Amino acid sequence: MLSKKSQYAFKALTYLSEKYEQGPVLISEIAKKKKIPLKFLENILLELKKAGILDSKKGKGGGYFLQKAPDQITMATVIRLINGPIAMLPCVSLYFYERCSNCNEKVCGLHDMMVEVRDATLNIVDNRTIKDLLVGGKS
Amino acid sequence: MLSKKSQYAFKALTYLSEKYEQGPVLISEIAKKKKIPLKFLENILLELKKAGILDSKKGKGGGYFLQKAPDQITMATVIRLINGPIAMLPCVSLYFYERCSNCNEKVCGLHDMMVEVRDATLNIVDNRTIKDLLVGGKS
DNA sequence: AACATAGCCCACCAACTCTATAGACTTTTA
DNA sequence: TAAAAGTCTATAGAGTTGGTGGGCTATGTT
């Protein structure tokens, strides 16, 4: 399941997408409009900034804004950053791989099945961006 | 991600599948062979029993055994029971549905995308059984 | 220079979940 | 009736999640 943090991140990114190339947006504005706890949102936006998804400006007239176009930010990137692995098992994760203890991947039926699930999921989240989250984003 | 509990459950079910229709198997035997903490496994097996997947016999000569054939127990059933929702959002879950607060499902891009992910995942886990976990299970 | 603005950073906390264990109880078989 | 084996309840430690408080730093304005 996606954490609340992830859902907040997507809401914030959606909001910032609507304001893309319209200058910095205040954290407090996003928090208010999207009903996200302010200080919690602060952490999330900072994380998104450090990952190169957002950028910010300090002082008066400052705020947060997208560093790339909405259609250049994939869902997979955001999920991995805020939520963690997309795969259902560490031994099947591309970005958070850890080998199985007591289980040989070469002959593990669960492993193979979870690879299938991972690929089916990636096929979607790798090919969708936050632009697709906007109403009418497909037009 | 699948919890350790889920992974233990699958290991135990795999073991019991190999012994299908060969009489009850001791918890302690499964625990030892599959390297699962005994008391923890106890809880898991009991849960699987209450869900109608396993059955048991008490007293000497007792133990656990599958209540249905391995190919009659879907992955989805076990995951939902031991791990919880398969969907990435409550508002998209078939068995654990909860409506979104502050979000209209009718016009939520995230909702729609997560429906896709859910269906892609279900397409796999609804059509695979614990028989498929066994080596050579496809033959 | 001084001040207000707004993001940055650190530390902390409550609640919850996950993993695991302990111990007593019940049922069954020999 | 004694041993075997599952059943049940409770609990505890570790880690994660969701959230808050307060001070620091950079920036723009006057």
Side-chain angles (χ1 to χ4, degrees), chain B residues 10-44:
Chain B
F10 284 122
K11 287 192 183 200
L13 287 169
T14 301
Y15 192 77
L16 288 172
S17 292
E18 287 163 358
K19 309 264 180 184
Y20 182 52
E21 288 184 324
Q22 292 175 35
V25 181
L26 293 181
I27 301 179
S28 55
E29 181 186 333
I30 305 172
K32 195 178 172 191
K33 287 287 176 61
K34 292 296 183 174
K35 290 173 185 157
I36 303 170
L38 184 96
K39 296 293 282 181
F40 197 22
L41 179 58
E42 225 178 82
N43 298 327
I44 297 168

PDB file of all heavy atoms in Angstrom, chain B residues 10-44:
ATOM      1  N   PHE B  10       3.917 -18.905   2.810  1.00  0.00           N
ATOM      2  CA  PHE B  10       4.113 -19.555   1.519  1.00  0.00           C
ATOM      3  C   PHE B  10       5.075 -20.742   1.629  1.00  0.00           C
ATOM      4  O   PHE B  10       4.881 -21.772   0.996  1.00  0.00           O
ATOM      5  CB  PHE B  10       4.613 -18.548   0.476  1.00  0.00           C
ATOM      6  CG  PHE B  10       3.516 -17.645  -0.023  1.00  0.00           C
ATOM      7  CD1 PHE B  10       3.614 -16.263   0.108  1.00  0.00           C
ATOM      8  CD2 PHE B  10       2.373 -18.169  -0.609  1.00  0.00           C
ATOM      9  CE1 PHE B  10       2.589 -15.435  -0.343  1.00  0.00           C
ATOM     10  CE2 PHE B  10       1.345 -17.351  -1.061  1.00  0.00           C
ATOM     11  CZ  PHE B  10       1.454 -15.972  -0.929  1.00  0.00           C
ATOM     12  N   LYS B  11       6.094 -20.574   2.444  1.00  0.00           N
ATOM     13  CA  LYS B  11       7.030 -21.689   2.630  1.00  0.00           C
ATOM     14  C   LYS B  11       6.330 -22.882   3.268  1.00  0.00           C
ATOM     15  O   LYS B  11       6.515 -24.027   2.859  1.00  0.00           O
ATOM     16  CB  LYS B  11       8.210 -21.252   3.508  1.00  0.00           C
ATOM     17  CG  LYS B  11       9.176 -20.336   2.779  1.00  0.00           C
ATOM     18  CD  LYS B  11      10.466 -20.142   3.554  1.00  0.00           C
ATOM     19  CE  LYS B  11      11.361 -19.141   2.806  1.00  0.00           C
ATOM     20  NZ  LYS B  11      12.765 -19.245   3.196  1.00  0.00           N
ATOM     21  N   ALA B  12       5.515 -22.590   4.280  1.00  0.00           N
ATOM     22  CA  ALA B  12       4.797 -23.666   4.959  1.00  0.00           C
ATOM     23  C   ALA B  12       3.809 -24.330   4.009  1.00  0.00           C
ATOM     24  O   ALA B  12       3.714 -25.568   3.953  1.00  0.00           O
ATOM     25  CB  ALA B  12       4.064 -23.100   6.176  1.00  0.00           C
ATOM     26  N   LEU B  13       3.101 -23.534   3.228  1.00  0.00           N
ATOM     27  CA  LEU B  13       2.126 -24.090   2.290  1.00  0.00           C
ATOM     28  C   LEU B  13       2.814 -24.917   1.214  1.00  0.00           C
ATOM     29  O   LEU B  13       2.294 -25.948   0.776  1.00  0.00           O
ATOM     30  CB  LEU B  13       1.305 -22.968   1.653  1.00  0.00           C
ATOM     31  CG  LEU B  13       0.273 -22.310   2.588  1.00  0.00           C
ATOM     32  CD1 LEU B  13      -0.294 -21.048   1.964  1.00  0.00           C
ATOM     33  CD2 LEU B  13      -0.847 -23.294   2.921  1.00  0.00           C
ATOM     34  N   THR B  14       3.974 -24.465   0.804  1.00  0.00           N
ATOM     35  CA  THR B  14       4.761 -25.235  -0.164  1.00  0.00           C
ATOM     36  C   THR B  14       5.113 -26.605   0.421  1.00  0.00           C
ATOM     37  O   THR B  14       4.924 -27.632  -0.231  1.00  0.00           O
ATOM     38  CB  THR B  14       6.065 -24.485  -0.508  1.00  0.00           C
ATOM     39  OG1 THR B  14       5.730 -23.206  -1.036  1.00  0.00           O
ATOM     40  CG2 THR B  14       6.877 -25.259  -1.530  1.00  0.00           C
ATOM     41  N   TYR B  15       5.583 -26.566   1.644  1.00  0.00           N
ATOM     42  CA  TYR B  15       5.966 -27.823   2.300  1.00  0.00           C
ATOM     43  C   TYR B  15       4.772 -28.773   2.423  1.00  0.00           C
ATOM     44  O   TYR B  15       4.865 -29.957   2.135  1.00  0.00           O
ATOM     45  CB  TYR B  15       6.560 -27.528   3.675  1.00  0.00           C
ATOM     46  CG  TYR B  15       7.247 -28.714   4.305  1.00  0.00           C
ATOM     47  CD1 TYR B  15       8.508 -29.113   3.882  1.00  0.00           C
ATOM     48  CD2 TYR B  15       6.618 -29.435   5.313  1.00  0.00           C
ATOM     49  CE1 TYR B  15       9.138 -30.209   4.453  1.00  0.00           C
ATOM     50  CE2 TYR B  15       7.239 -30.539   5.892  1.00  0.00           C
ATOM     51  CZ  TYR B  15       8.498 -30.916   5.459  1.00  0.00           C
ATOM     52  OH  TYR B  15       9.124 -32.007   6.018  1.00  0.00           O
ATOM     53  N   LEU B  16       3.655 -28.200   2.854  1.00  0.00           N
ATOM     54  CA  LEU B  16       2.449 -29.021   3.025  1.00  0.00           C
ATOM     55  C   LEU B  16       1.925 -29.530   1.678  1.00  0.00           C
ATOM     56  O   LEU B  16       1.295 -30.590   1.615  1.00  0.00           O
ATOM     57  CB  LEU B  16       1.364 -28.224   3.764  1.00  0.00           C
ATOM     58  CG  LEU B  16       1.638 -27.988   5.252  1.00  0.00           C
ATOM     59  CD1 LEU B  16       0.621 -27.034   5.846  1.00  0.00           C
ATOM     60  CD2 LEU B  16       1.639 -29.323   6.010  1.00  0.00           C
ATOM     61  N   SER B  17       2.183 -28.789   0.633  1.00  0.00           N
ATOM     62  CA  SER B  17       1.763 -29.237  -0.698  1.00  0.00           C
ATOM     63  C   SER B  17       2.536 -30.473  -1.123  1.00  0.00           C
ATOM     64  O   SER B  17       1.996 -31.371  -1.762  1.00  0.00           O
ATOM     65  CB  SER B  17       1.986 -28.131  -1.727  1.00  0.00           C
ATOM     66  OG  SER B  17       1.109 -27.054  -1.485  1.00  0.00           O
ATOM     67  N   GLU B  18       3.810 -30.460  -0.756  1.00  0.00           N
ATOM     68  CA  GLU B  18       4.639 -31.620  -1.104  1.00  0.00           C
ATOM     69  C   GLU B  18       4.177 -32.872  -0.369  1.00  0.00           C
ATOM     70  O   GLU B  18       4.432 -33.983  -0.817  1.00  0.00           O
ATOM     71  CB  GLU B  18       6.113 -31.320  -0.769  1.00  0.00           C
ATOM     72  CG  GLU B  18       6.751 -30.330  -1.744  1.00  0.00           C
ATOM     73  CD  GLU B  18       8.044 -29.721  -1.187  1.00  0.00           C
ATOM     74  OE1 GLU B  18       8.424 -30.034  -0.043  1.00  0.00           O
ATOM     75  OE2 GLU B  18       8.665 -28.924  -1.924  1.00  0.00           O
ATOM     76  N   LYS B  19       3.525 -32.646   0.751  1.00  0.00           N
ATOM     77  CA  LYS B  19       3.057 -33.787   1.562  1.00  0.00           C
ATOM     78  C   LYS B  19       1.541 -33.953   1.454  1.00  0.00           C
ATOM     79  O   LYS B  19       0.908 -34.554   2.322  1.00  0.00           O
ATOM     80  CB  LYS B  19       3.408 -33.527   3.043  1.00  0.00           C
ATOM     81  CG  LYS B  19       4.830 -33.143   3.302  1.00  0.00           C
ATOM     82  CD  LYS B  19       5.655 -34.339   3.684  1.00  0.00           C
ATOM     83  CE  LYS B  19       7.090 -33.910   3.950  1.00  0.00           C
ATOM     84  NZ  LYS B  19       7.952 -35.057   4.225  1.00  0.00           N
ATOM     85  N   TYR B  20       1.002 -33.400   0.416  1.00  0.00           N
ATOM     86  CA  TYR B  20      -0.457 -33.422   0.262  1.00  0.00           C
ATOM     87  C   TYR B  20      -0.989 -34.853   0.226  1.00  0.00           C
ATOM     88  O   TYR B  20      -0.466 -35.705  -0.479  1.00  0.00           O
ATOM     89  CB  TYR B  20      -0.860 -32.681  -1.017  1.00  0.00           C
ATOM     90  CG  TYR B  20      -2.355 -32.606  -1.246  1.00  0.00           C
ATOM     91  CD1 TYR B  20      -3.198 -32.123  -0.248  1.00  0.00           C
ATOM     92  CD2 TYR B  20      -2.906 -33.017  -2.446  1.00  0.00           C
ATOM     93  CE1 TYR B  20      -4.572 -32.049  -0.453  1.00  0.00           C
ATOM     94  CE2 TYR B  20      -4.287 -32.939  -2.672  1.00  0.00           C
ATOM     95  CZ  TYR B  20      -5.117 -32.462  -1.674  1.00  0.00           C
ATOM     96  OH  TYR B  20      -6.470 -32.391  -1.883  1.00  0.00           O
ATOM     97  N   GLU B  21      -2.009 -35.099   1.023  1.00  0.00           N
ATOM     98  CA  GLU B  21      -2.645 -36.416   1.149  1.00  0.00           C
ATOM     99  C   GLU B  21      -1.695 -37.494   1.665  1.00  0.00           C
ATOM    100  O   GLU B  21      -1.817 -38.656   1.326  1.00  0.00           O
ATOM    101  CB  GLU B  21      -3.266 -36.833  -0.196  1.00  0.00           C
ATOM    102  CG  GLU B  21      -4.519 -35.998  -0.493  1.00  0.00           C
ATOM    103  CD  GLU B  21      -5.235 -36.437  -1.762  1.00  0.00           C
ATOM    104  OE1 GLU B  21      -4.547 -36.832  -2.718  1.00  0.00           O
ATOM    105  OE2 GLU B  21      -6.477 -36.362  -1.794  1.00  0.00           O
ATOM    106  N   GLN B  22      -0.756 -37.042   2.493  1.00  0.00           N
ATOM    107  CA  GLN B  22       0.142 -38.016   3.119  1.00  0.00           C
ATOM    108  C   GLN B  22       0.014 -37.936   4.633  1.00  0.00           C
ATOM    109  O   GLN B  22       0.919 -38.303   5.354  1.00  0.00           O
ATOM    110  CB  GLN B  22       1.590 -37.750   2.705  1.00  0.00           C
ATOM    111  CG  GLN B  22       1.849 -38.040   1.227  1.00  0.00           C
ATOM    112  CD  GLN B  22       3.260 -37.656   0.814  1.00  0.00           C
ATOM    113  OE1 GLN B  22       4.199 -37.775   1.579  1.00  0.00           O
ATOM    114  NE2 GLN B  22       3.406 -37.185  -0.425  1.00  0.00           N
ATOM    115  N   GLY B  23      -1.129 -37.414   5.098  1.00  0.00           N
ATOM    116  CA  GLY B  23      -1.366 -37.339   6.537  1.00  0.00           C
ATOM    117  C   GLY B  23      -0.827 -36.069   7.156  1.00  0.00           C
ATOM    118  O   GLY B  23      -0.133 -35.291   6.498  1.00  0.00           O
ATOM    119  N   PRO B  24      -1.168 -35.845   8.438  1.00  0.00           N
ATOM    120  CA  PRO B  24      -0.792 -34.617   9.146  1.00  0.00           C
ATOM    121  C   PRO B  24       0.714 -34.451   9.275  1.00  0.00           C
ATOM    122  O   PRO B  24       1.435 -35.430   9.424  1.00  0.00           O
ATOM    123  CB  PRO B  24      -1.416 -34.812  10.540  1.00  0.00           C
ATOM    124  CG  PRO B  24      -2.482 -35.837  10.352  1.00  0.00           C
ATOM    125  CD  PRO B  24      -1.992 -36.735   9.275  1.00  0.00           C
ATOM    126  N   VAL B  25       1.133 -33.176   9.212  1.00  0.00           N
ATOM    127  CA  VAL B  25       2.546 -32.837   9.363  1.00  0.00           C
ATOM    128  C   VAL B  25       2.707 -31.973  10.618  1.00  0.00           C
ATOM    129  O   VAL B  25       1.936 -31.032  10.826  1.00  0.00           O
ATOM    130  CB  VAL B  25       3.058 -32.050   8.136  1.00  0.00           C
ATOM    131  CG1 VAL B  25       4.533 -31.719   8.286  1.00  0.00           C
ATOM    132  CG2 VAL B  25       2.794 -32.830   6.854  1.00  0.00           C
ATOM    133  N   LEU B  26       3.688 -32.290  11.432  1.00  0.00           N
ATOM    134  CA  LEU B  26       3.925 -31.534  12.664  1.00  0.00           C
ATOM    135  C   LEU B  26       4.347 -30.094  12.379  1.00  0.00           C
ATOM    136  O   LEU B  26       5.119 -29.847  11.449  1.00  0.00           O
ATOM    137  CB  LEU B  26       5.031 -32.197  13.479  1.00  0.00           C
ATOM    138  CG  LEU B  26       4.728 -33.577  14.067  1.00  0.00           C
ATOM    139  CD1 LEU B  26       5.931 -34.065  14.853  1.00  0.00           C
ATOM    140  CD2 LEU B  26       3.508 -33.520  14.963  1.00  0.00           C
ATOM    141  N   ILE B  27       3.854 -29.160  13.217  1.00  0.00           N
ATOM    142  CA  ILE B  27       4.306 -27.771  13.132  1.00  0.00           C
ATOM    143  C   ILE B  27       5.824 -27.733  13.263  1.00  0.00           C
ATOM    144  O   ILE B  27       6.522 -27.056  12.517  1.00  0.00           O
ATOM    145  CB  ILE B  27       3.708 -26.909  14.275  1.00  0.00           C
ATOM    146  CG1 ILE B  27       2.184 -26.914  14.241  1.00  0.00           C
ATOM    147  CG2 ILE B  27       4.217 -25.486  14.182  1.00  0.00           C
ATOM    148  CD1 ILE B  27       1.573 -26.098  15.365  1.00  0.00           C
ATOM    149  N   SER B  28       6.305 -28.511  14.232  1.00  0.00           N
ATOM    150  CA  SER B  28       7.745 -28.484  14.512  1.00  0.00           C
ATOM    151  C   SER B  28       8.561 -28.982  13.327  1.00  0.00           C
ATOM    152  O   SER B  28       9.674 -28.515  13.090  1.00  0.00           O
ATOM    153  CB  SER B  28       8.040 -29.328  15.752  1.00  0.00           C
ATOM    154  OG  SER B  28       7.538 -30.641  15.574  1.00  0.00           O
ATOM    155  N   GLU B  29       7.991 -29.904  12.570  1.00  0.00           N
ATOM    156  CA  GLU B  29       8.700 -30.398  11.394  1.00  0.00           C
ATOM    157  C   GLU B  29       8.814 -29.298  10.337  1.00  0.00           C
ATOM    158  O   GLU B  29       9.881 -29.055   9.767  1.00  0.00           O
ATOM    159  CB  GLU B  29       7.963 -31.613  10.800  1.00  0.00           C
ATOM    160  CG  GLU B  29       8.677 -32.196   9.584  1.00  0.00           C
ATOM    161  CD  GLU B  29       7.872 -33.318   8.903  1.00  0.00           C
ATOM    162  OE1 GLU B  29       7.072 -33.981   9.594  1.00  0.00           O
ATOM    163  OE2 GLU B  29       8.054 -33.515   7.678  1.00  0.00           O
ATOM    164  N   ILE B  30       7.686 -28.611  10.107  1.00  0.00           N
ATOM    165  CA  ILE B  30       7.685 -27.525   9.135  1.00  0.00           C
ATOM    166  C   ILE B  30       8.655 -26.429   9.573  1.00  0.00           C
ATOM    167  O   ILE B  30       9.455 -25.928   8.782  1.00  0.00           O
ATOM    168  CB  ILE B  30       6.266 -26.917   8.989  1.00  0.00           C
ATOM    169  CG1 ILE B  30       5.248 -28.018   8.647  1.00  0.00           C
ATOM    170  CG2 ILE B  30       6.248 -25.828   7.925  1.00  0.00           C
ATOM    171  CD1 ILE B  30       3.809 -27.537   8.684  1.00  0.00           C
ATOM    172  N   ALA B  31       8.580 -26.092  10.860  1.00  0.00           N
ATOM    173  CA  ALA B  31       9.428 -25.035  11.403  1.00  0.00           C
ATOM    174  C   ALA B  31      10.902 -25.352  11.182  1.00  0.00           C
ATOM    175  O   ALA B  31      11.684 -24.488  10.762  1.00  0.00           O
ATOM    176  CB  ALA B  31       9.134 -24.839  12.884  1.00  0.00           C
ATOM    177  N   LYS B  32      11.239 -26.596  11.438  1.00  0.00           N
ATOM    178  CA  LYS B  32      12.633 -27.005  11.328  1.00  0.00           C
ATOM    179  C   LYS B  32      13.101 -27.020   9.877  1.00  0.00           C
ATOM    180  O   LYS B  32      14.126 -26.430   9.524  1.00  0.00           O
ATOM    181  CB  LYS B  32      12.797 -28.403  11.943  1.00  0.00           C
ATOM    182  CG  LYS B  32      14.238 -28.782  12.213  1.00  0.00           C
ATOM    183  CD  LYS B  32      14.314 -30.160  12.866  1.00  0.00           C
ATOM    184  CE  LYS B  32      15.757 -30.636  12.970  1.00  0.00           C
ATOM    185  NZ  LYS B  32      15.826 -32.073  13.354  1.00  0.00           N
ATOM    186  N   LYS B  33      12.317 -27.661   9.050  1.00  0.00           N
ATOM    187  CA  LYS B  33      12.698 -27.810   7.640  1.00  0.00           C
ATOM    188  C   LYS B  33      12.733 -26.476   6.902  1.00  0.00           C
ATOM    189  O   LYS B  33      13.555 -26.253   6.027  1.00  0.00           O
ATOM    190  CB  LYS B  33      11.717 -28.756   6.930  1.00  0.00           C
ATOM    191  CG  LYS B  33      11.888 -30.220   7.312  1.00  0.00           C
ATOM    192  CD  LYS B  33      13.139 -30.823   6.702  1.00  0.00           C
ATOM    193  CE  LYS B  33      13.377 -32.254   7.153  1.00  0.00           C
ATOM    194  NZ  LYS B  33      12.291 -33.172   6.790  1.00  0.00           N
ATOM    195  N   LYS B  34      11.807 -25.588   7.254  1.00  0.00           N
ATOM    196  CA  LYS B  34      11.720 -24.320   6.547  1.00  0.00           C
ATOM    197  C   LYS B  34      12.347 -23.162   7.319  1.00  0.00           C
ATOM    198  O   LYS B  34      12.277 -22.006   6.909  1.00  0.00           O
ATOM    199  CB  LYS B  34      10.253 -24.006   6.232  1.00  0.00           C
ATOM    200  CG  LYS B  34       9.636 -24.954   5.201  1.00  0.00           C
ATOM    201  CD  LYS B  34      10.335 -24.817   3.851  1.00  0.00           C
ATOM    202  CE  LYS B  34       9.678 -25.693   2.785  1.00  0.00           C
ATOM    203  NZ  LYS B  34      10.277 -25.453   1.452  1.00  0.00           N
ATOM    204  N   LYS B  35      12.944 -23.492   8.463  1.00  0.00           N
ATOM    205  CA  LYS B  35      13.614 -22.474   9.293  1.00  0.00           C
ATOM    206  C   LYS B  35      12.700 -21.301   9.636  1.00  0.00           C
ATOM    207  O   LYS B  35      13.012 -20.133   9.367  1.00  0.00           O
ATOM    208  CB  LYS B  35      14.883 -21.983   8.589  1.00  0.00           C
ATOM    209  CG  LYS B  35      15.967 -23.056   8.560  1.00  0.00           C
ATOM    210  CD  LYS B  35      17.165 -22.621   7.721  1.00  0.00           C
ATOM    211  CE  LYS B  35      18.182 -23.753   7.604  1.00  0.00           C
ATOM    212  NZ  LYS B  35      19.060 -23.618   6.419  1.00  0.00           N
ATOM    213  N   ILE B  36      11.592 -21.635  10.227  1.00  0.00           N
ATOM    214  CA  ILE B  36      10.617 -20.630  10.649  1.00  0.00           C
ATOM    215  C   ILE B  36      10.477 -20.735  12.169  1.00  0.00           C
ATOM    216  O   ILE B  36      10.382 -21.838  12.693  1.00  0.00           O
ATOM    217  CB  ILE B  36       9.244 -20.899   9.986  1.00  0.00           C
ATOM    218  CG1 ILE B  36       9.381 -20.933   8.455  1.00  0.00           C
ATOM    219  CG2 ILE B  36       8.223 -19.855  10.419  1.00  0.00           C
ATOM    220  CD1 ILE B  36       8.132 -21.424   7.738  1.00  0.00           C
ATOM    221  N   PRO B  37      10.498 -19.602  12.891  1.00  0.00           N
ATOM    222  CA  PRO B  37      10.318 -19.646  14.347  1.00  0.00           C
ATOM    223  C   PRO B  37       9.032 -20.397  14.699  1.00  0.00           C
ATOM    224  O   PRO B  37       7.952 -20.054  14.212  1.00  0.00           O
ATOM    225  CB  PRO B  37      10.229 -18.175  14.747  1.00  0.00           C
ATOM    226  CG  PRO B  37      10.956 -17.444  13.674  1.00  0.00           C
ATOM    227  CD  PRO B  37      10.702 -18.230  12.416  1.00  0.00           C
ATOM    228  N   LEU B  38       9.159 -21.385  15.537  1.00  0.00           N
ATOM    229  CA  LEU B  38       8.056 -22.301  15.814  1.00  0.00           C
ATOM    230  C   LEU B  38       6.777 -21.621  16.253  1.00  0.00           C
ATOM    231  O   LEU B  38       5.708 -21.842  15.674  1.00  0.00           O
ATOM    232  CB  LEU B  38       8.489 -23.305  16.881  1.00  0.00           C
ATOM    233  CG  LEU B  38       7.437 -24.381  17.170  1.00  0.00           C
ATOM    234  CD1 LEU B  38       7.727 -25.638  16.373  1.00  0.00           C
ATOM    235  CD2 LEU B  38       7.362 -24.707  18.644  1.00  0.00           C
ATOM    236  N   LYS B  39       6.872 -20.791  17.261  1.00  0.00           N
ATOM    237  CA  LYS B  39       5.655 -20.179  17.809  1.00  0.00           C
ATOM    238  C   LYS B  39       5.016 -19.212  16.821  1.00  0.00           C
ATOM    239  O   LYS B  39       3.804 -19.027  16.805  1.00  0.00           O
ATOM    240  CB  LYS B  39       5.969 -19.466  19.123  1.00  0.00           C
ATOM    241  CG  LYS B  39       6.436 -20.368  20.230  1.00  0.00           C
ATOM    242  CD  LYS B  39       5.347 -21.317  20.714  1.00  0.00           C
ATOM    243  CE  LYS B  39       4.343 -20.634  21.632  1.00  0.00           C
ATOM    244  NZ  LYS B  39       3.311 -21.565  22.123  1.00  0.00           N
ATOM    245  N   PHE B  40       5.861 -18.584  16.035  1.00  0.00           N
ATOM    246  CA  PHE B  40       5.348 -17.666  15.023  1.00  0.00           C
ATOM    247  C   PHE B  40       4.585 -18.461  13.960  1.00  0.00           C
ATOM    248  O   PHE B  40       3.476 -18.093  13.544  1.00  0.00           O
ATOM    249  CB  PHE B  40       6.509 -16.901  14.388  1.00  0.00           C
ATOM    250  CG  PHE B  40       6.112 -15.667  13.641  1.00  0.00           C
ATOM    251  CD1 PHE B  40       4.918 -15.012  13.888  1.00  0.00           C
ATOM    252  CD2 PHE B  40       6.956 -15.137  12.679  1.00  0.00           C
ATOM    253  CE1 PHE B  40       4.563 -13.859  13.201  1.00  0.00           C
ATOM    254  CE2 PHE B  40       6.616 -13.984  11.979  1.00  0.00           C
ATOM    255  CZ  PHE B  40       5.412 -13.351  12.244  1.00  0.00           C
ATOM    256  N   LEU B  41       5.175 -19.573  13.587  1.00  0.00           N
ATOM    257  CA  LEU B  41       4.547 -20.436  12.587  1.00  0.00           C
ATOM    258  C   LEU B  41       3.197 -20.953  13.088  1.00  0.00           C
ATOM    259  O   LEU B  41       2.232 -21.051  12.335  1.00  0.00           O
ATOM    260  CB  LEU B  41       5.483 -21.614  12.268  1.00  0.00           C
ATOM    261  CG  LEU B  41       4.972 -22.641  11.259  1.00  0.00           C
ATOM    262  CD1 LEU B  41       4.652 -21.995   9.920  1.00  0.00           C
ATOM    263  CD2 LEU B  41       5.991 -23.763  11.076  1.00  0.00           C
ATOM    264  N   GLU B  42       3.154 -21.245  14.367  1.00  0.00           N
ATOM    265  CA  GLU B  42       1.925 -21.711  15.010  1.00  0.00           C
ATOM    266  C   GLU B  42       0.762 -20.759  14.708  1.00  0.00           C
ATOM    267  O   GLU B  42      -0.313 -21.186  14.282  1.00  0.00           O
ATOM    268  CB  GLU B  42       2.175 -21.723  16.522  1.00  0.00           C
ATOM    269  CG  GLU B  42       1.703 -22.955  17.249  1.00  0.00           C
ATOM    270  CD  GLU B  42       2.051 -22.838  18.712  1.00  0.00           C
ATOM    271  OE1 GLU B  42       1.302 -22.178  19.465  1.00  0.00           O
ATOM    272  OE2 GLU B  42       3.089 -23.399  19.101  1.00  0.00           O
ATOM    273  N   ASN B  43       1.011 -19.471  14.910  1.00  0.00           N
ATOM    274  CA  ASN B  43      -0.018 -18.451  14.658  1.00  0.00           C
ATOM    275  C   ASN B  43      -0.447 -18.437  13.200  1.00  0.00           C
ATOM    276  O   ASN B  43      -1.630 -18.317  12.894  1.00  0.00           O
ATOM    277  CB  ASN B  43       0.507 -17.056  15.009  1.00  0.00           C
ATOM    278  CG  ASN B  43       0.869 -16.926  16.468  1.00  0.00           C
ATOM    279  OD1 ASN B  43       0.241 -17.535  17.324  1.00  0.00           O
ATOM    280  ND2 ASN B  43       1.897 -16.149  16.765  1.00  0.00           N
ATOM    281  N   ILE B  44       0.537 -18.532  12.344  1.00  0.00           N
ATOM    282  CA  ILE B  44       0.269 -18.473  10.908  1.00  0.00           C
ATOM    283  C   ILE B  44      -0.601 -19.641  10.468  1.00  0.00           C
ATOM    284  O   ILE B  44      -1.609 -19.466   9.780  1.00  0.00           O
ATOM    285  CB  ILE B  44       1.605 -18.468  10.123  1.00  0.00           C
ATOM    286  CG1 ILE B  44       2.422 -17.219  10.457  1.00  0.00           C
ATOM    287  CG2 ILE B  44       1.341 -18.552   8.624  1.00  0.00           C
ATOM    288  CD1 ILE B  44       3.859 -17.261   9.957  1.00  0.00           C
TER     289      ILE B  44
END
